[in-house]
Amino acid sequence: MPHWMRTRYWLALCVSLLLAGCQGKDAEQPWIAYHQQLAEDLSSKAIERTEIPNIGAFPERRERLIPVAETRDGMLNIYALRECQITSLIAARNNQLGRVAPPSQHWLYERELWQRLDACWESDIPDHLGEKDRERLEQLTLLKTAQLPAVSWNAIFDSEEWINSFSRASHPLVISGLPNLDKQFATVVYLQQMVDSQFSQSWQQDSSRLENHLKHLQERSLTAEILRTLLLAAQSLQDANQFLIQHESTSETCLTPWDMQTLDSFEDSAKQWLTAINTLITSQPVEPPDAIKSYQAQWLSLSHPQAPWQQYLQAREHHQMLRDKHPVCVND
């Protein structure tokens, strides 16, 4: 690599790291301010803050995908099924561009191939085929029907856009100024619709619509951002809890009212997003790989006691209980 290219690369990397660091500090500011308010209310020194851990790494490719055997057949045999209108589709898949198509396009190809095979098998075309060609059509239709759920799974879990959503090179969200997440939510809704409709003959897929949705998913590492925000919130609340445990209520102290609106808003978005992600994983008609099930339980689960969501809920409930032991300050 030329020297000027190396210089540009390292400059870009440094800027990226600095921006990520600044954004992470921005996310901590509301909690630092809240801690300062608690310390002032109780006339105490600053609350000791605990370093926030990062989320775990998303499973490696070989651990998160489901093996799908490649289908091989001679073009003469495929041509014998030309009335099923699959020859041009298979030829396009086998050309140079087709072989390097992204997982999303492979998903669309396999689903369209299944639609044509299934429609052909249910028509009167098999009645006009020779015995071997009819058997080949039946076997190919059954094979593609069996493989489609795994292909759908792999298309999602092998896409760069999906993987980026779980990137550890992310930062927590600033709960006092949450971004508009409508496009990201719409993407998961569309992916769910594709999974739910994969064996539908009436539902028609749209390549440009799918790619546009995935582009929105690529814009931010939303799953990781939400998980890291939950970790930040849980640890900040736990630090505040430890502080309140050490400072009993007295007749001379009171706590400034706690404005929970921003935290409530984030909590609603986080629950909605994690619910959608978990549904997309569990609703597919395949058994998720063990690595994904483990990651889901540890990081995405809404019920596992050690997952970020439950850690946050437990810390918040405990915090509210400790606050209730102190009178609320009333302005004169």
Side-chain angles (χ1 to χ4, degrees):
M1 180 186 294
H3 176 72
W4 67 271
M5 289 184 67
R6 287 199 300 270
T7 302
R8 177 180 294 181
Y9 169 80
W10 285 111
L11 282 174
L13 179 60
C14 290
V15 170
S16 176
L17 291 173
L18 284 172
L19 287 175
C22 291
Q23 290 168 323
K25 292 298 182 183
D26 289 343
E28 292 184 24
Q29 285 308 309
W31 292 109
I32 292 175
Y34 180 60
H35 284 179
Q36 289 174 341
Q37 184 63 61
L38 287 176
E40 291 174 8
D41 288 344
L42 299 181
S43 302
S44 176
K45 62 180 182 180
I47 297 176
E48 293 186 10
R49 293 181 56 79
T50 305
E51 185 176 352
I52 313 301
N54 200 347
I55 61 173
F58 200 53
E60 295 292 334
R61 186 175 187 270
R62 59 182 176 79
E63 296 178 321
R64 65 176 183 266
L65 300 188
I66 300 173
V68 178
E70 186 175 355
T71 305
R72 294 183 177 275
D73 208 341
M75 284 308 297
L76 287 178
N77 292 334
I78 297 300
Y79 183 72
L81 304 177
R82 59 190 178 277
E83 290 186 71
C84 296
Q85 300 181 336
I86 63 173
T87 51
S88 59
L89 185 64
I90 293 176
R93 169 63 183 169
N94 288 337
N95 66 25
Q96 186 173 3
L97 290 177
R99 288 196 295 270
V100 296
S104 57
Q105 293 302 307
H106 181 52
W107 187 10
L108 298 182
Y109 160 78
E110 288 288 342
R111 183 173 182 273
E112 185 173 358
L113 178 59
W114 171 82
Q115 282 183 309
R116 295 188 186 187
L117 287 169
D118 181 71
C120 184
W121 179 251
E122 296 297 332
S123 70
D124 60 357
I125 291 177
D127 298 336
H128 307 294
L129 295 174
E131 181 179 354
K132 289 186 177 180
D133 290 332
R134 186 167 58 252
E135 290 178 356
R136 183 174 293 108
L137 173 60
E138 180 181 21
Q139 292 171 358
L140 190 57
T141 303
L142 291 173
L143 175 62
K144 290 302 175 182
T145 301
Q147 288 182 340
L148 188 55
V151 170
S152 299
W153 173 277
N154 290 347
I156 295 175
F157 279 82
D158 199 25
S159 68
E160 293 182 3
E161 297 85 358
W162 183 258
I163 299 167
N164 178 68
S165 185
F166 300 85
S167 173
R168 300 180 81 234
S170 57
H171 52 82
L173 297 167
V174 181
I175 60 172
S176 57
L178 292 176
N180 188 310
L181 305 176
D182 290 348
K183 292 180 179 179
Q184 283 75 23
F185 277 106
T187 296
V188 178
V189 169
Y190 188 74
L191 291 175
Q192 186 68 60
Q193 186 178 16
M194 282 196 65
V195 170
D196 294 341
S197 305
Q198 60 186 307
F199 286 115
S200 170
Q201 284 288 358
S202 60
W203 191 80
Q204 296 300 314
Q205 59 204 24
D206 187 321
S207 177
S208 60
R209 189 178 179 189
L210 173 59
E211 296 304 327
N212 283 333
H213 276 303
L214 291 175
K215 179 183 68 175
H216 296 316
L217 198 63
Q218 180 76 27
E219 290 173 357
R220 61 184 320 122
S221 304
L222 184 55
T223 307
E225 289 176 332
I226 286 177
L227 293 177
R228 297 196 68 178
T229 308
L230 287 170
L231 291 177
L232 172 61
Q235 188 59 61
S236 297
L237 288 169
Q238 289 167 10
D239 290 342
N241 293 345
Q242 188 62 34
F243 172 80
L244 290 177
I245 290 172
Q246 296 170 355
H247 293 77
E248 295 183 359
S249 174
T250 70
S251 59
E252 300 177 354
T253 62
C254 62
L255 296 182
T256 301
W258 185 22
D259 182 5
M260 297 178 286
Q261 184 175 355
T262 56
L263 192 57
D264 288 340
S265 179
F266 163 71
E267 184 177 309
D268 291 342
S269 295
K271 185 176 183 180
Q272 184 181 353
W273 182 258
L274 290 177
T275 298
I277 295 297
N278 278 292
T279 301
L280 187 58
I281 293 174
T282 58
S283 66
Q284 300 201 42
V286 291
E287 181 72 14
D290 289 342
I292 292 297
K293 289 192 289 187
S294 177
Y295 185 92
Q296 183 182 14
Q298 185 174 3
W299 297 106
L300 306 176
S301 174
L302 292 170
S303 59
H304 195 287
Q306 298 304 315
W309 175 255
Q310 280 296 325
Q311 288 286 314
Y312 158 75
L313 289 185
Q314 294 164 19
R316 180 169 180 174
E317 181 180 0
H318 189 203
H319 187 65
Q320 188 61 62
M321 181 189 72
L322 292 171
R323 280 190 62 96
D324 290 344
K325 295 181 178 180
H326 295 260
V328 178
C329 300
V330 179
N331 294 328
D332 294 332

